[in-house]
PDB file of all heavy atoms in Angstrom:
ATOM      1  N   ARG J 278      66.587 105.198  62.000  1.00  0.00           N
ATOM      2  CA  ARG J 278      67.723 104.718  61.116  1.00  0.00           C
ATOM      3  C   ARG J 278      68.799 104.008  61.851  1.00  0.00           C
ATOM      4  O   ARG J 278      69.169 104.440  62.945  1.00  0.00           O
ATOM      5  CB  ARG J 278      68.274 105.912  60.386  1.00  0.00           C
ATOM      6  CG  ARG J 278      69.435 105.562  59.405  1.00  0.00           C
ATOM      7  CD  ARG J 278      70.166 106.807  58.849  1.00  0.00           C
ATOM      8  NE  ARG J 278      69.349 107.601  57.951  1.00  0.00           N
ATOM      9  CZ  ARG J 278      69.255 107.314  56.685  1.00  0.00           C
ATOM     10  NH1 ARG J 278      69.900 106.225  56.208  1.00  0.00           N
ATOM     11  NH2 ARG J 278      68.501 108.061  55.888  1.00  0.00           N
ATOM     12  N   LEU J 279      69.277 102.933  61.324  1.00  0.00           N
ATOM     13  CA  LEU J 279      70.483 102.276  61.727  1.00  0.00           C
ATOM     14  C   LEU J 279      71.713 103.037  61.217  1.00  0.00           C
ATOM     15  O   LEU J 279      71.858 103.169  59.936  1.00  0.00           O
ATOM     16  CB  LEU J 279      70.595 100.798  61.317  1.00  0.00           C
ATOM     17  CG  LEU J 279      71.761 100.005  61.931  1.00  0.00           C
ATOM     18  CD1 LEU J 279      71.650  99.961  63.435  1.00  0.00           C
ATOM     19  CD2 LEU J 279      71.875  98.636  61.305  1.00  0.00           C
ATOM     20  N   ILE J 280      72.500 103.673  61.995  1.00  0.00           N
ATOM     21  CA  ILE J 280      73.617 104.538  61.583  1.00  0.00           C
ATOM     22  C   ILE J 280      74.663 103.713  60.937  1.00  0.00           C
ATOM     23  O   ILE J 280      75.082 102.631  61.374  1.00  0.00           O
ATOM     24  CB  ILE J 280      74.168 105.309  62.781  1.00  0.00           C
ATOM     25  CG1 ILE J 280      73.004 106.201  63.359  1.00  0.00           C
ATOM     26  CG2 ILE J 280      75.326 106.102  62.406  1.00  0.00           C
ATOM     27  CD1 ILE J 280      73.423 106.850  64.709  1.00  0.00           C
ATOM     28  N   SER J 281      75.180 104.145  59.787  1.00  0.00           N
ATOM     29  CA  SER J 281      76.176 103.452  59.038  1.00  0.00           C
ATOM     30  C   SER J 281      77.560 103.901  59.472  1.00  0.00           C
ATOM     31  O   SER J 281      77.867 105.125  59.506  1.00  0.00           O
ATOM     32  CB  SER J 281      76.023 103.699  57.533  1.00  0.00           C
ATOM     33  OG  SER J 281      74.772 103.247  57.129  1.00  0.00           O
ATOM     34  N   GLY J 282      78.468 102.973  59.721  1.00  0.00           N
ATOM     35  CA  GLY J 282      79.844 103.230  60.038  1.00  0.00           C
ATOM     36  C   GLY J 282      80.786 102.560  59.167  1.00  0.00           C
ATOM     37  O   GLY J 282      82.040 102.526  59.393  1.00  0.00           O
ATOM     38  N   GLY J 283      80.377 102.045  57.984  1.00  0.00           N
ATOM     39  CA  GLY J 283      81.254 101.357  57.086  1.00  0.00           C
ATOM     40  C   GLY J 283      81.852 102.226  55.992  1.00  0.00           C
ATOM     41  O   GLY J 283      81.900 103.499  56.132  1.00  0.00           O
ATOM     42  N   ARG J 284      82.206 101.613  54.887  1.00  0.00           N
ATOM     43  CA  ARG J 284      82.922 102.323  53.829  1.00  0.00           C
ATOM     44  C   ARG J 284      82.391 101.910  52.425  1.00  0.00           C
ATOM     45  O   ARG J 284      81.696 100.927  52.332  1.00  0.00           O
ATOM     46  CB  ARG J 284      84.439 102.031  53.882  1.00  0.00           C
ATOM     47  CG  ARG J 284      85.116 102.213  55.205  1.00  0.00           C
ATOM     48  CD  ARG J 284      86.535 101.931  55.126  1.00  0.00           C
ATOM     49  NE  ARG J 284      86.810 100.492  54.859  1.00  0.00           N
ATOM     50  CZ  ARG J 284      88.000  99.852  54.733  1.00  0.00           C
ATOM     51  NH1 ARG J 284      89.092 100.614  54.896  1.00  0.00           N
ATOM     52  NH2 ARG J 284      88.098  98.600  54.481  1.00  0.00           N
ATOM     53  N   VAL J 285      82.887 102.676  51.393  1.00  0.00           N
ATOM     54  CA  VAL J 285      82.748 102.228  50.049  1.00  0.00           C
ATOM     55  C   VAL J 285      84.136 102.086  49.517  1.00  0.00           C
ATOM     56  O   VAL J 285      85.039 102.880  49.712  1.00  0.00           O
ATOM     57  CB  VAL J 285      81.994 103.224  49.166  1.00  0.00           C
ATOM     58  CG1 VAL J 285      82.196 102.943  47.712  1.00  0.00           C
ATOM     59  CG2 VAL J 285      80.575 103.313  49.532  1.00  0.00           C
ATOM     60  N   ILE J 286      84.370 100.916  48.870  1.00  0.00           N
ATOM     61  CA  ILE J 286      85.656 100.649  48.165  1.00  0.00           C
ATOM     62  C   ILE J 286      85.463 100.432  46.699  1.00  0.00           C
ATOM     63  O   ILE J 286      84.673  99.553  46.315  1.00  0.00           O
ATOM     64  CB  ILE J 286      86.321  99.430  48.837  1.00  0.00           C
ATOM     65  CG1 ILE J 286      86.603  99.631  50.350  1.00  0.00           C
ATOM     66  CG2 ILE J 286      87.646  99.088  48.087  1.00  0.00           C
ATOM     67  CD1 ILE J 286      87.194  98.420  51.036  1.00  0.00           C
ATOM     68  N   LEU J 287      86.193 101.173  45.895  1.00  0.00           N
ATOM     69  CA  LEU J 287      86.234 100.990  44.433  1.00  0.00           C
ATOM     70  C   LEU J 287      87.647 100.520  44.163  1.00  0.00           C
ATOM     71  O   LEU J 287      88.599 101.237  44.421  1.00  0.00           O
ATOM     72  CB  LEU J 287      85.923 102.236  43.681  1.00  0.00           C
ATOM     73  CG  LEU J 287      84.621 103.062  44.040  1.00  0.00           C
ATOM     74  CD1 LEU J 287      84.495 104.214  43.063  1.00  0.00           C
ATOM     75  CD2 LEU J 287      83.467 102.151  43.914  1.00  0.00           C
ATOM     76  N   GLU J 288      87.696  99.369  43.507  1.00  0.00           N
ATOM     77  CA  GLU J 288      89.079  98.865  43.146  1.00  0.00           C
ATOM     78  C   GLU J 288      89.546  99.517  41.798  1.00  0.00           C
ATOM     79  O   GLU J 288      88.821 100.306  41.206  1.00  0.00           O
ATOM     80  CB  GLU J 288      89.025  97.379  43.086  1.00  0.00           C
ATOM     81  CG  GLU J 288      88.800  96.709  44.405  1.00  0.00           C
ATOM     82  CD  GLU J 288      88.879  95.201  44.429  1.00  0.00           C
ATOM     83  OE1 GLU J 288      89.063  94.570  43.316  1.00  0.00           O
ATOM     84  OE2 GLU J 288      88.840  94.560  45.453  1.00  0.00           O
ATOM     85  N   ASP J 289      90.695  99.085  41.356  1.00  0.00           N
ATOM     86  CA  ASP J 289      91.300  99.663  40.120  1.00  0.00           C
ATOM     87  C   ASP J 289      90.406  99.574  38.937  1.00  0.00           C
ATOM     88  O   ASP J 289      89.718  98.577  38.715  1.00  0.00           O
ATOM     89  CB  ASP J 289      92.657  99.022  39.809  1.00  0.00           C
ATOM     90  CG  ASP J 289      93.659  99.217  40.908  1.00  0.00           C
ATOM     91  OD1 ASP J 289      93.460 100.089  41.785  1.00  0.00           O
ATOM     92  OD2 ASP J 289      94.720  98.535  40.853  1.00  0.00           O
ATOM     93  N   ALA J 290      90.530 100.551  38.048  1.00  0.00           N
ATOM     94  CA  ALA J 290      89.842 100.603  36.725  1.00  0.00           C
ATOM     95  C   ALA J 290      88.326 100.422  36.763  1.00  0.00           C
ATOM     96  O   ALA J 290      87.647 100.050  35.848  1.00  0.00           O
ATOM     97  CB  ALA J 290      90.428  99.479  35.801  1.00  0.00           C
ATOM     98  N   VAL J 291      87.732 100.860  37.887  1.00  0.00           N
ATOM     99  CA  VAL J 291      86.239 100.946  37.994  1.00  0.00           C
ATOM    100  C   VAL J 291      85.856 102.243  37.348  1.00  0.00           C
ATOM    101  O   VAL J 291      86.479 103.268  37.515  1.00  0.00           O
ATOM    102  CB  VAL J 291      85.818 100.825  39.451  1.00  0.00           C
ATOM    103  CG1 VAL J 291      84.318 101.220  39.589  1.00  0.00           C
ATOM    104  CG2 VAL J 291      85.998  99.436  39.987  1.00  0.00           C
ATOM    105  N   GLU J 292      84.680 102.180  36.651  1.00  0.00           N
ATOM    106  CA  GLU J 292      84.065 103.448  36.116  1.00  0.00           C
ATOM    107  C   GLU J 292      82.630 103.530  36.602  1.00  0.00           C
ATOM    108  O   GLU J 292      81.914 102.613  36.510  1.00  0.00           O
ATOM    109  CB  GLU J 292      84.159 103.391  34.610  1.00  0.00           C
ATOM    110  CG  GLU J 292      85.592 103.484  34.110  1.00  0.00           C
ATOM    111  CD  GLU J 292      85.699 103.642  32.556  1.00  0.00           C
ATOM    112  OE1 GLU J 292      84.605 103.886  31.885  1.00  0.00           O
ATOM    113  OE2 GLU J 292      86.809 103.366  31.981  1.00  0.00           O
ATOM    114  N   ILE J 293      82.273 104.708  37.161  1.00  0.00           N
ATOM    115  CA  ILE J 293      80.983 104.985  37.671  1.00  0.00           C
ATOM    116  C   ILE J 293      80.376 106.100  36.868  1.00  0.00           C
ATOM    117  O   ILE J 293      80.989 107.159  36.704  1.00  0.00           O
ATOM    118  CB  ILE J 293      81.029 105.344  39.158  1.00  0.00           C
ATOM    119  CG1 ILE J 293      81.826 104.333  39.956  1.00  0.00           C
ATOM    120  CG2 ILE J 293      79.615 105.520  39.702  1.00  0.00           C
ATOM    121  CD1 ILE J 293      81.193 102.971  40.048  1.00  0.00           C
ATOM    122  N   GLY J 294      79.163 105.923  36.394  1.00  0.00           N
ATOM    123  CA  GLY J 294      78.440 106.924  35.557  1.00  0.00           C
ATOM    124  C   GLY J 294      77.947 108.098  36.403  1.00  0.00           C
ATOM    125  O   GLY J 294      78.210 108.230  37.579  1.00  0.00           O
ATOM    126  N   ALA J 295      77.193 108.929  35.751  1.00  0.00           N
ATOM    127  CA  ALA J 295      76.666 110.141  36.349  1.00  0.00           C
ATOM    128  C   ALA J 295      75.450 109.830  37.209  1.00  0.00           C
ATOM    129  O   ALA J 295      74.697 108.939  36.959  1.00  0.00           O
ATOM    130  CB  ALA J 295      76.270 111.160  35.289  1.00  0.00           C
ATOM    131  N   LEU J 296      75.315 110.522  38.329  1.00  0.00           N
ATOM    132  CA  LEU J 296      74.084 110.497  39.194  1.00  0.00           C
ATOM    133  C   LEU J 296      73.885 109.075  39.757  1.00  0.00           C
ATOM    134  O   LEU J 296      72.749 108.640  39.970  1.00  0.00           O
ATOM    135  CB  LEU J 296      72.848 110.965  38.412  1.00  0.00           C
ATOM    136  CG  LEU J 296      72.900 112.347  37.884  1.00  0.00           C
ATOM    137  CD1 LEU J 296      71.692 112.673  37.005  1.00  0.00           C
ATOM    138  CD2 LEU J 296      72.980 113.366  39.065  1.00  0.00           C
ATOM    139  N   CYS J 297      74.973 108.386  40.080  1.00  0.00           N
ATOM    140  CA  CYS J 297      74.824 107.070  40.786  1.00  0.00           C
ATOM    141  C   CYS J 297      74.909 107.328  42.281  1.00  0.00           C
ATOM    142  O   CYS J 297      75.524 108.325  42.768  1.00  0.00           O
ATOM    143  CB  CYS J 297      75.974 106.136  40.305  1.00  0.00           C
ATOM    144  SG  CYS J 297      75.842 105.656  38.596  1.00  0.00           S
ATOM    145  N   THR J 298      74.369 106.418  43.022  1.00  0.00           N
ATOM    146  CA  THR J 298      74.467 106.470  44.480  1.00  0.00           C
ATOM    147  C   THR J 298      74.901 105.124  45.006  1.00  0.00           C
ATOM    148  O   THR J 298      74.279 104.085  44.779  1.00  0.00           O
ATOM    149  CB  THR J 298      73.038 106.855  45.119  1.00  0.00           C
ATOM    150  OG1 THR J 298      72.061 105.982  44.544  1.00  0.00           O
ATOM    151  CG2 THR J 298      72.716 108.290  44.795  1.00  0.00           C
ATOM    152  N   ILE J 299      76.000 105.186  45.751  1.00  0.00           N
ATOM    153  CA  ILE J 299      76.532 103.914  46.347  1.00  0.00           C
ATOM    154  C   ILE J 299      76.643 104.108  47.839  1.00  0.00           C
ATOM    155  O   ILE J 299      77.432 104.855  48.382  1.00  0.00           O
ATOM    156  CB  ILE J 299      77.927 103.626  45.716  1.00  0.00           C
ATOM    157  CG1 ILE J 299      77.798 103.562  44.183  1.00  0.00           C
ATOM    158  CG2 ILE J 299      78.529 102.326  46.275  1.00  0.00           C
ATOM    159  CD1 ILE J 299      79.146 103.404  43.431  1.00  0.00           C
ATOM    160  N   ASP J 300      75.788 103.307  48.522  1.00  0.00           N
ATOM    161  CA  ASP J 300      75.717 103.368  49.969  1.00  0.00           C
ATOM    162  C   ASP J 300      76.867 102.718  50.617  1.00  0.00           C
ATOM    163  O   ASP J 300      77.334 101.616  50.177  1.00  0.00           O
ATOM    164  CB  ASP J 300      74.417 102.777  50.524  1.00  0.00           C
ATOM    165  CG  ASP J 300      73.186 103.531  50.168  1.00  0.00           C
ATOM    166  OD1 ASP J 300      73.353 104.728  49.743  1.00  0.00           O
ATOM    167  OD2 ASP J 300      72.089 102.997  50.305  1.00  0.00           O
ATOM    168  N   LYS J 301      77.372 103.249  51.704  1.00  0.00           N
ATOM    169  CA  LYS J 301      78.440 102.574  52.484  1.00  0.00           C
ATOM    170  C   LYS J 301      77.858 101.399  53.308  1.00  0.00           C
ATOM    171  O   LYS J 301      76.674 101.304  53.488  1.00  0.00           O
ATOM    172  CB  LYS J 301      79.143 103.534  53.395  1.00  0.00           C
ATOM    173  CG  LYS J 301      78.249 104.184  54.464  1.00  0.00           C
ATOM    174  CD  LYS J 301      79.041 105.291  55.184  1.00  0.00           C
ATOM    175  CE  LYS J 301      78.150 106.114  56.109  1.00  0.00           C
ATOM    176  NZ  LYS J 301      78.841 107.198  56.780  1.00  0.00           N
ATOM    177  N   GLY J 302      78.756 100.542  53.750  1.00  0.00           N
ATOM    178  CA  GLY J 302      78.308  99.448  54.538  1.00  0.00           C
ATOM    179  C   GLY J 302      77.834  99.948  55.906  1.00  0.00           C
ATOM    180  O   GLY J 302      78.286 100.993  56.375  1.00  0.00           O
ATOM    181  N   VAL J 303      76.966  99.173  56.503  1.00  0.00           N
ATOM    182  CA  VAL J 303      76.506  99.556  57.860  1.00  0.00           C
ATOM    183  C   VAL J 303      77.693  99.526  58.878  1.00  0.00           C
ATOM    184  O   VAL J 303      77.945 100.410  59.602  1.00  0.00           O
ATOM    185  CB  VAL J 303      75.301  98.667  58.308  1.00  0.00           C
ATOM    186  CG1 VAL J 303      75.006  98.894  59.805  1.00  0.00           C
ATOM    187  CG2 VAL J 303      74.097  98.959  57.486  1.00  0.00           C
ATOM    188  N   THR J 304      78.394  98.349  58.783  1.00  0.00           N
ATOM    189  CA  THR J 304      79.671  98.208  59.594  1.00  0.00           C
ATOM    190  C   THR J 304      80.798  97.785  58.776  1.00  0.00           C
ATOM    191  O   THR J 304      81.959  97.845  59.182  1.00  0.00           O
ATOM    192  CB  THR J 304      79.391  97.309  60.825  1.00  0.00           C
ATOM    193  OG1 THR J 304      78.869  96.052  60.285  1.00  0.00           O
ATOM    194  CG2 THR J 304      78.490  97.837  61.808  1.00  0.00           C
ATOM    195  N   GLY J 305      80.527  97.179  57.585  1.00  0.00           N
ATOM    196  CA  GLY J 305      81.489  96.630  56.727  1.00  0.00           C
ATOM    197  C   GLY J 305      81.720  97.509  55.554  1.00  0.00           C
ATOM    198  O   GLY J 305      81.591  98.738  55.577  1.00  0.00           O
ATOM    199  N   ASP J 306      82.017  96.907  54.407  1.00  0.00           N
ATOM    200  CA  ASP J 306      82.333  97.606  53.163  1.00  0.00           C
ATOM    201  C   ASP J 306      81.350  97.316  52.006  1.00  0.00           C
ATOM    202  O   ASP J 306      80.944  96.148  51.851  1.00  0.00           O
ATOM    203  CB  ASP J 306      83.748  97.267  52.629  1.00  0.00           C
ATOM    204  CG  ASP J 306      84.794  97.661  53.661  1.00  0.00           C
ATOM    205  OD1 ASP J 306      84.614  98.645  54.291  1.00  0.00           O
ATOM    206  OD2 ASP J 306      85.844  96.945  53.731  1.00  0.00           O
TER     207      ASP J 306
END
């Protein structure tokens, strides 16, 4: 595996449903 060192960014008024998966960036966002 290439190890991930990035982030997840959700901006204002975003809505995420149930059982979603959002991977972080490898080095970015």
Side-chain angles (χ1 to χ4, degrees):
R278 179 190 290 276
L279 187 64
I280 297 169
S281 300
R284 306 180 297 180
V285 169
I286 297 176
L287 307 184
E288 295 186 355
D289 295 348
V291 166
E292 296 184 13
I293 308 293
L296 300 174
C297 293
T298 49
I299 303 175
D300 291 347
K301 60 187 171 185
V303 171
T304 50
D306 298 327

